[in-house]
Structures are given as structure tokens and as C-alpha cells.
Amino acid sequence: MKLRRKTGYSRKALLQFGIDLSWAKAAKLSNRQTSQGLVTVKTAGKVAAIVELSCETDFVARGEPFKQLLASLVTAALEHVKRAPAQQSDKISTQTFDVDSVKTADGKSLKEVISMGIGKLGENISAKRIKAFWAPQDSEFYNGSHPKDGLQDIPMGRFVSLLAMNRKKSEGQFLTERLADQLCQHIIGMRSESLGTSVDPNEAKKQTETSKNADGQDELNEFFQGQATQMDAEIDKD
């Protein structure tokens, strides 16, 4: 019972899923900080899932076993979203899940899958967040990551972006997939600090005015100055 309180995993679960950890080692791992890791996003039309998985070291985070673990988690999360009741809205709808509520195809909870990863990799691993997304009506999701890493069709990186777009596949000079990919990279490059509703225009003006330093330079928007990219030019023509 003492180990269950510290780790969230029972001795039966540790043994059943092949985790070669003693009770004392499992408790010790649960107290270690998980400051490294990756985040991934997976989409399927009007639904999407994002999972952020943390570990102790960058060495483990960059390894194939950790990426495979993350891929299995986001795949299970996306399948869970597909089975959940669809949320109809004119905006992107979101919902947060915990590691106990989401199951893999063979019936394991994500907590059990993570516990297997702890045993294999020998580091404390935790799912920081598991979020589901539903696109607005007549829109579909597209995604991106930076740096571009991952496994097959599952992007992973330090940052990910999710874009809901209502656009025909062949509309305009850009293919929709290409346009969406570049927009997702631009979103990551904007260095957003929060996700939510748009800022009030008057409030945005105040923020811009207060962001100017003593030399009159606009530090807040300096990142966006410069010539338009080729993509920007093509969009302006449409």
C-alpha cells in the first residue's frame, strides 16, 4: 500500500506487465523530476489528440523506445476521442483525459503502458497532459511539430501546433496540405504563450504600446518584421 500511494501502481500491476523494478526502486523513481520529454499530436479529420510525455533526461527523450511509447499513447488517445461523443461548436472544442480513463486496443490503461516504459527505460516517466480536440463544423485538423521528429506519420518535437481549416483540397494555388503545414510552422514560430480566445483589440494596442523600449523599438512585434515569405505572397494573390 505504501508503494501504491507513492507511485500509483500496485505490485500486481508491476509484475503483470513485466516491469523489473523493486518496490523501493519504483518509489525512488516516482520522486525524480521529469524536466525533459516530447509532445506529439495526431489527427484524423475532425478529431485530434495531443500528448505531452516527460522523462528525466534528454538522452532518453531522443531515443527510439521513448518515441515508440509516446506514439502508442497518442494513438490510444486518438482512438478514445473517436469513440467519444462528438462536440459540435463553431470553435475548437477541447477536453482533458487522465491516464486511467484512456485504454489501448488490448485493454491496458495508459498508466499501465507508462509503467512498462518506466521498467524498460529505468527513468521516471509521466504524462503531463492528454488532450482531445474537435474541429468546428466543416473544418478539418492539420498539425505540425518542431523540430520535425517522430515516427512515420506521428510528428513529435518540443513544440506542436494544431490547425482547424475550412478549405477545399484543391482551392487556391497551394495544395491544402502544403498550406496547412506551412501555417502550422508559422504558428510555432510565433512563440505563443497561451491558447484561447482572441485578445481584445484595445487591450492588444495597450500591450503593443507598453512593449516599446526606451529606444522606441517594438520588442513585442519585432519578431514579425521583415519581408513577406513566398507563402505570404501567394496567399495575398488568392
Side-chain angles (χ1 to χ4, degrees), residues 144-157:
S145 66
H146 180 79
K148 287 192 173 183
D149 202 350
L151 301 174
Q152 298 178 352
D153 62 335
I154 304 179
M156 301 175 186

Side-chain angles (χ1 to χ4, degrees), residues 43 46 53 72 85 119 135 144 149 160-161 168 178 183 194 238:
T43 62
K46 297 180 67 65
L53 192 66
S72 66
D149 202 350
V160 297
S161 58
K168 295 179 180 179
R178 183 184 174 194
L183 286 173
S194 63
D238 287 347

Side-chain angles (χ1 to χ4, degrees), residues 3-4 9-16 21-23:
L3 183 64
R4 177 187 284 275
Y9 308 115
S10 67
R11 180 181 179 84
K12 181 179 179 181
L14 292 173
L15 295 175
Q16 179 180 355
L21 292 174
S22 66
W23 287 62

Side-chain angles (χ1 to χ4, degrees), residues 49-69:
I50 288 180
V51 176
E52 181 182 356
L53 192 66
S54 298
C55 58
E56 297 176 38
T57 64
D58 182 62
F59 175 79
V60 166
R62 290 185 285 107
E64 194 79 3
F66 185 83
K67 293 178 182 178
Q68 290 176 347
L69 172 61

Side-chain angles (χ1 to χ4, degrees), residues 54-196:
S54 298
C55 58
E56 297 176 38
T57 64
D58 182 62
F59 175 79
V60 166
R62 290 185 285 107
E64 194 79 3
F66 185 83
K67 293 178 182 178
Q68 290 176 347
L69 172 61
L70 182 53
S72 66
L73 297 180
V74 75
T75 298
L78 183 63
E79 292 303 315
H80 185 82
V81 178
K82 290 179 181 179
R83 295 190 298 269
Q87 299 191 20
Q88 301 295 334
S89 174
D90 58 349
K91 298 180 180 179
I92 295 177
S93 302
T94 68
Q95 184 177 347
T96 301
F97 295 116
D98 59 48
V99 291
D100 288 316
S101 63
V102 181
K103 306 286 185 181
T104 61
D106 55 1
K108 296 185 181 70
S109 71
L110 295 196
K111 177 180 283 189
E112 293 166 344
V113 176
I114 292 172
S115 69
M116 294 175 64
I118 293 174
K120 291 178 180 179
L121 297 174
E123 284 195 4
N124 188 23
I125 298 173
S126 61
K128 295 293 186 182
R129 71 190 74 188
I130 303 171
K131 297 205 70 170
F133 298 84
W134 289 266
Q137 188 175 4
D138 300 325
S139 298
E140 289 191 357
F141 278 128
Y142 299 87
N143 58 63
S145 66
H146 180 79
K148 287 192 173 183
D149 202 350
L151 301 174
Q152 298 178 352
D153 62 335
I154 304 179
M156 301 175 186
R158 298 295 183 183
F159 306 93
V160 297
S161 58
L162 183 64
L163 171 70
M165 186 162 59
N166 179 0
R167 188 176 191 264
K168 295 179 180 179
K169 297 292 183 181
S170 59
E171 183 178 340
Q173 297 180 358
F174 264 65
L175 293 176
T176 297
E177 289 79 4
R178 183 184 174 194
L179 175 61
D181 179 70
Q182 294 200 28
L183 286 173
C184 285
Q185 295 305 316
H186 274 275
I187 291 170
I188 293 174
M190 288 177 182
R191 303 180 296 183
S192 303
E193 295 182 354
S194 63
L195 176 66

